[in-house]
Every structure is written in structure tokens, then in C-alpha cells.
Amino acid sequence: EDDGDATAIVVISTTAAHDWYIRRSEEVRRGDIPGLVDAIFKVISEFPDLMALGIETRGFQRAVAHGLYEEMDRRSAFFAVKELKTESNKNKKWRILRLAPLMRMGRLHFHGRNLATLQGEQKKLAQQILRFPRGADDLADALAYGTDVVVYPDPEDRQNERPHGPERHQDRLKR
């Protein structure tokens, strides 16, 4: 939103078995487009194996997407962007509810083993999911958009499994 509300960024790794590993989650409280675009480029540089970037293209976010394309051209740094269109916030409830099967089947993995061991934005994301539909939900909504963006590796291609898989994610968890 253009009043300075949080813009959420969530990075997910996946496996061929459809497990999701949350590698990073953060809320960026920047009302300015260049600041948001810089935050996105920071994520892209931190996660060079990122397969796709989803960005909501409604209202203020549409201007961010336009700024992102301009900056890609300026930097000659290009990556896949999937524009996520939504008609209203009422769809947010249904987007977030799409996470329920992943959670129920134990396929959504955080940095800690339980809520007590989570820290920072990971804990905030888990709390948003657990408290939904009450309270803030920017991180949970960004994660839920993952169902529209996520790329699963081909189970037959073991080489393709590695960038998305838990082995790489576990290395980051130890830091």
C-alpha cells in the first residue's frame, strides 16, 4: 500500500516431493518504489538460484512492478517475474487458506523445530499463519502467493533437485 504498509518478501525452496522450506521472510516498510526495488534486487543477489519472483500487481504494487522492470533494464540484470493479479482483499482469505494442506501434511518447514525455537521474521510469519484470520497477515499472504509461483524440481532430474532441495536449505539453517 502507498501509505507505508508493509511489503512482505518470502523466499521458498522446494523439493520434488513438494516440501516447502522457508529460506527467508521479511517485511519491508518502505513507501518509496526505489527502496522496494532495491530490496528485491538484494534478495535476488542473495538467492541466485531463485527460479521465479511473484509480485502482486494491484494498486501501489503495480507501480513497484513497473519500477522493477525499469531497474532490470538499467542494471542489465534480468530474472523471471510472475505478475500476480488479484481483484480484492477478499481473495486474501482464500489464498492463505491454500497453505492449510501443506501444513497439515507437514510439508511447510521453518528454521526451527517448533514455534518456541523460531526467531525474528520466521516467528512472525508462523504467528501470522496461526492467528489467521485475526491480526496482521502480510507475511502469510506473501507465503500463500507461493502456490501461484513455486517451481518444483523434476523428480527424475537429480541435478535439478539440488538448488531447490533441503540439502541447500539445511546449510543456511546452520548459520
Side-chain angles (χ1 to χ4, degrees):
E1 303 294 321
D2 57 3
D3 64 358
D5 281 350
T7 296
I9 298 173
V10 177
V11 179
I12 307 162
S13 287
T14 61
T15 67
H18 292 212
D19 285 293
W20 286 24
Y21 290 85
I22 300 166
R23 295 171 71 182
R24 178 175 176 171
S25 59
E26 71 173 298
E27 287 182 320
V28 182
R29 294 204 178 270
R30 294 189 183 123
D32 66 304
I33 292 168
L36 289 170
V37 169
D38 282 343
I40 291 168
F41 270 92
K42 182 180 174 190
V43 168
I44 295 297
S45 68
E46 187 178 336
F47 298 97
D49 59 335
L50 202 66
M51 300 290 288
L53 171 84
I55 186 165
E56 192 174 24
T57 54
R58 181 174 66 94
F60 176 68
Q61 296 88 345
R62 185 178 302 126
V64 173
H66 181 73
L68 184 62
Y69 291 127
E70 285 182 349
E71 192 64 16
M72 277 194 244
D73 190 41
R74 190 183 76 71
R75 295 185 190 197
S76 292
F78 303 97
F79 44 87
V81 175
K82 176 163 180 152
E83 293 187 8
L84 305 166
K85 298 172 184 354
T86 181
E87 295 164 20
S88 71
N89 273 343
K90 74 177 182 178
N91 292 332
K92 183 185 286 195
K93 174 183 176 184
W94 299 111
R95 275 194 307 274
I96 294 172
L97 286 174
R98 292 187 298 184
L99 296 172
L102 285 168
M103 294 180 69
R104 192 171 299 121
M105 296 184 318
R107 299 220 179 261
L108 185 61
H109 306 279
F110 290 86
H111 283 237
R113 297 246 182 251
N114 59 49
L115 189 58
T117 62
L118 294 178
Q119 297 178 3
E121 296 291 327
Q122 289 271 314
K123 185 171 193 156
K124 192 173 187 179
L125 171 56
Q127 288 172 334
Q128 284 185 10
I129 292 169
L130 293 171
R131 292 180 182 151
F132 182 78
R134 293 173 293 284
D137 58 14
D138 293 318
L139 288 167
D141 192 29
L143 177 62
Y145 265 125
T147 60
D148 296 325
V149 179
V150 73
V151 176
Y152 293 106
D154 181 351
E156 302 298 318
D157 185 358
R158 284 290 172 211
Q159 185 134 0
N160 201 19
E161 171 76 10
R162 176 152 257 159
H164 308 277
E167 311 84 27
R168 185 174 193 127
H169 183 69
Q170 292 303 324
D171 290 342
R172 289 187 182 272
L173 294 179
K174 293 175 186 172
R175 294 181 194 161

